[in-house]
Amino acid sequence: MKSFALVAVAAVVLLSSGSRAETPEDADVAATRVNASADENRRPNVILILADDLAVGDLEGGDGHPTRTPNLDRLAKESVRFSQAYSGSCVCAPARAALLTGRYPHRTGVVTLNMNKYPKMTRLRRDETTIANVLRDAGYATGLVGKWHTGRGDGFHPLDRGFDEFEGFFGSDDVRYFRYPFSQQRKISDVEDQYLTDDLNRRAIEFVRRHREHPFFLHLAHYAPHRPLEAPPEIIAKYRDQGFNESTATIYAMIEVMDRGIGELLAEVESLGLAEDTIVFFASDNGPDPVTGERFNRELRGTKYQVNEGGIRVPLFVRRSSHFAPGERDQMVTFVDLLPTILDLCRVELPSKNQVDGESFVPVLHDASASHSTTRFWQWNRAHPNYTHNAAVRQGQFKLVRPFVTRSAKLKDSTEPEVLYDLHADPTESHDVTDRYPDVARQLSRELKRWCDSVERDRVRPKAMPADTK
């Protein structure tokens, strides 16, 4: 950063000393040019906000009720909005691994959920590189506020994975919203006098204030509206009065509090004069949790835990008002595309050792007609991967699914037949079109098998470090 400014100053001095004496007007022009050069060469800030178990149907009041998310709805209107955005998984931890690394979660070692029961399958391998690693090496201040859920212990803590600052929790703790264990750097204490969502928003604002003078990467990873369902009673009552049951009313209250805090964060970015230099991303890690009951989700089939659209389709907004005109995009993008996109926007080179599965969608941000990769894959089951179960590939308009069988860890090979959907004609995945497009079904089945074999080989590759035995 400083080198850019020094070069600009030197250029101005050389130009002015070569012809005539400098006047006050010349000095003003020179200063303006230096400031403009410094502004142009400063890398943008990045705020990456992730909700937890938020459904696409939770936004914009699409169920006919008054909007619950006025700030997120406003952010959407100011952003490039992706109608075909997907998480990297249908559950929390693997989705976060894909987001952080740009790689399919199986390659990273994060394949299941419970960090206490499956510690070795819920942590990023030490030979993985995160977006925080890359941006910190490029001079960014890097901070995580909120949920980590991709490793615990020496070598797997957020501070060991590229983050300068960590204020949050690990993911498989006993986290409630009015009482929760909380880490500030490496020190853990119990909090009982705040509401978690408000606490995270406040800390995110403080991070921005601390680092406003130089480029920063802030990952605000909210817990809302993940279980347990808890929110201020007066807000819950408002949704009960609209006719929602207790569970749904509480979820919408949790989302409202999160939305309010995100609005405060974005207002602070504006008041600090950082809006033009800050790229804001907003997404959810997966679809709605079925344990909390059914709620409006635009008739998408499936929920969290399933690779059907309701489990992996998520909202995605990208805002940088000085560079991207707001509007809709229909190109398919997924979490593995976020790391290369963010590095592209920040003008930071991707390390050659970090072979990502995604690709930058920056051209799509500028041009709604730009092309982008059309093939992506998903798979999840509890514990060790069983690729006969709950796997999918999407290529263009077609999606082939190996159906979901169970959330139980005791899983036998599935004998359920694969199902082919035409998402353009059937976005709710209601009709199997295998008989109509048998060649497409066979081709996608072969591609899905190749992918499963590839990521499994990578998942069980030899340990990169002898110390990686915990």
Side-chain angles (χ1 to χ4, degrees), residues 195-240:
Y195 184 66
L196 175 60
T197 305
D198 286 331
D199 193 6
L200 297 180
N201 282 319
R202 176 181 59 80
R203 291 173 185 272
I205 290 171
E206 290 174 353
F207 179 90
V208 170
R209 288 172 178 164
R210 284 197 302 275
H211 298 290
R212 61 188 177 187
E213 298 298 333
H214 52 85
F216 61 78
F217 169 63
L218 169 62
H219 180 24
L220 172 56
H222 270 295
Y223 200 36
H226 192 287
R227 287 179 282 150
L229 303 185
E230 297 179 323
E234 66 277 10
I235 305 180
I236 297 174
K238 179 172 69 173
Y239 291 102
R240 275 202 312 264

Side-chain angles (χ1 to χ4, degrees), residues 76-349:
K77 289 180 174 62
E78 296 170 352
S79 299
V80 176
R81 305 175 296 280
F82 288 88
S83 64
Q84 305 288 309
Y86 291 89
S87 176
S89 177
C90 55
V91 293
C92 306
R96 294 162 199 275
L99 180 150
L100 289 167
T101 65
R103 287 158 57 82
Y104 289 114
H106 301 71
R107 300 193 198 280
T108 75
V110 181
V111 293
T112 192
L113 289 174
N114 193 311
M115 296 173 65
N116 300 318
K117 198 170 184 179
Y118 306 107
K120 293 184 179 180
M121 292 188 285
T122 51
R123 65 189 188 191
L124 286 172
R125 292 175 53 111
R126 289 181 175 176
D127 58 354
E128 292 292 329
T129 302
T130 73
I131 189 170
N133 289 130
V134 181
L135 290 177
R136 185 174 67 179
D137 288 347
Y140 275 72
T142 57
L144 168 62
V145 174
K147 184 176 180 179
W148 171 235
H149 208 176
T150 47
R152 191 201 307 270
D154 292 345
F156 301 101
H157 190 281
L159 299 183
D160 301 322
R161 308 318 299 262
F163 288 100
D164 297 314
E165 300 180 23
F166 172 54
E167 298 180 81
F169 53 97
F170 289 93
S172 289
D173 311 286
D174 182 20
V175 178
R176 304 192 69 85
Y177 285 84
F178 293 100
R179 177 184 57 78
Y180 46 93
F182 201 84
S183 293
Q184 189 149 3
Q185 299 299 83
R186 297 184 190 270
K187 183 179 179 181
I188 301 177
S189 58
D190 291 324
V191 178
E192 297 183 352
D193 60 347
Q194 299 196 58
Y195 184 66
L196 175 60
T197 305
D198 286 331
D199 193 6
L200 297 180
N201 282 319
R202 176 181 59 80
R203 291 173 185 272
I205 290 171
E206 290 174 353
F207 179 90
V208 170
R209 288 172 178 164
R210 284 197 302 275
H211 298 290
R212 61 188 177 187
E213 298 298 333
H214 52 85
F216 61 78
F217 169 63
L218 169 62
H219 180 24
L220 172 56
H222 270 295
Y223 200 36
H226 192 287
R227 287 179 282 150
L229 303 185
E230 297 179 323
E234 66 277 10
I235 305 180
I236 297 174
K238 179 172 69 173
Y239 291 102
R240 275 202 312 264
D241 292 345
Q242 294 179 24
F244 295 109
N245 61 39
E246 187 71 17
S247 176
T248 303
T250 306
I251 290 170
Y252 288 164
M254 296 165 76
I255 293 171
E256 179 177 320
V257 175
M258 179 180 66
D259 176 83
R260 181 184 67 203
I262 291 172
E264 292 168 358
L265 171 62
L266 298 179
E268 184 67 15
V269 169
E270 183 75 32
S271 70
L272 292 172
L274 300 175
E276 296 295 308
D277 295 319
T278 300
I279 308 168
V280 179
F281 290 78
F282 175 82
S284 175
D285 62 348
N286 47 250
D289 184 352
V291 176
T292 62
E294 292 186 13
R295 66 184 189 271
F296 175 74
N297 197 25
R298 301 190 181 279
E299 300 183 348
L300 296 180
R301 178 173 184 157
T303 62
K304 177 180 179 177
Y305 308 114
Q306 298 175 314
V307 298
N308 291 102
E309 295 292 282
I312 57 176
R313 184 82 71 85
V314 295
L316 176 62
F317 312 144
V318 184
R319 186 188 80 175
R320 192 182 186 189
S321 55
S322 57
H323 288 66
F324 315 137
E328 296 281 351
R329 299 290 188 273
D330 294 327
Q331 291 88 338
M332 178 177 63
V333 298
T334 77
F335 275 17
V336 295
D337 300 316
L338 286 176
L339 178 145
T341 299
I342 291 172
L343 296 185
D344 194 358
L345 291 169
C346 294
R347 306 190 303 279
V348 174
E349 290 293 325

